[in-house]
Amino acid sequence: RLAESGGGSVQTGGSLRLSCESSGHTFSCMGWFRQAPGKAREGVAVIDMDGRTNYANSVNGRFTLSQDSAKNTLYLQMNDLRPEDTAMYVCAADMHLRQCNPEILKSQYGFRGPGTQVTVSS
């Protein structure tokens, strides 16, 4: 079970930090994808069980993943937000995925949260 928090509304250039609390399972891959109305689902960022991260080109350099193992929580720090980042952000994870990649996890996950809305105004 995954539960997101931290979404909200900001202006262009602002920052938000999303949190994803898990139930304590050990995942081979965990991360975020986003879905905006009328747009294709987009993988955003992932982290594998060795702590290696992988980001979509659209967010690379602006978004950063981190985790607090003691709290079973994954964080997505989002800086320099743009209107095109507006979407529902969903935390997803899988216990068996071998290739931990944002574009793979977005459609091959065993667990997901309900999502948290991020809105960036110009």
Side-chain angles (χ1 to χ4, degrees), residues 8-16 80-87 117-122:
S9 298
V10 296
Q11 293 187 324
T12 297
S15 298
L16 285 172
D80 189 25
L81 283 161
R82 305 166 181 170
E84 54 264 39
D85 294 317
T86 295
Q117 178 67 35
V118 171
T119 302
V120 185
S121 58
S122 57

Side-chain angles (χ1 to χ4, degrees), residues 48-97:
D48 68 15
M49 60 190 308
D50 294 321
R52 292 173 296 202
T53 56
N54 193 327
Y55 299 92
N57 290 335
S58 59
V59 307
N60 199 22
R62 300 187 297 124
F63 291 11
T64 304
L65 281 172
S66 63
Q67 57 186 6
D68 185 334
S69 299
K71 296 182 179 180
N72 295 320
T73 302
L74 179 70
Y75 301 101
L76 181 67
Q77 178 66 43
M78 306 187 296
N79 298 328
D80 189 25
L81 283 161
R82 305 166 181 170
E84 54 264 39
D85 294 317
T86 295
M88 179 70 74
Y89 282 71
V90 179
C91 181
D94 196 270
M95 299 173 68
H96 308 292
L97 193 63

Side-chain angles (χ1 to χ4, degrees), residues 33-44 84 86-88 103 106:
F33 64 83
R34 62 189 181 186
Q35 182 84 62
K39 294 185 179 180
R41 179 179 294 182
E42 181 184 15
V44 175
E84 54 264 39
T86 295
M88 179 70 74
E103 285 300 298
K106 73 175 184 179

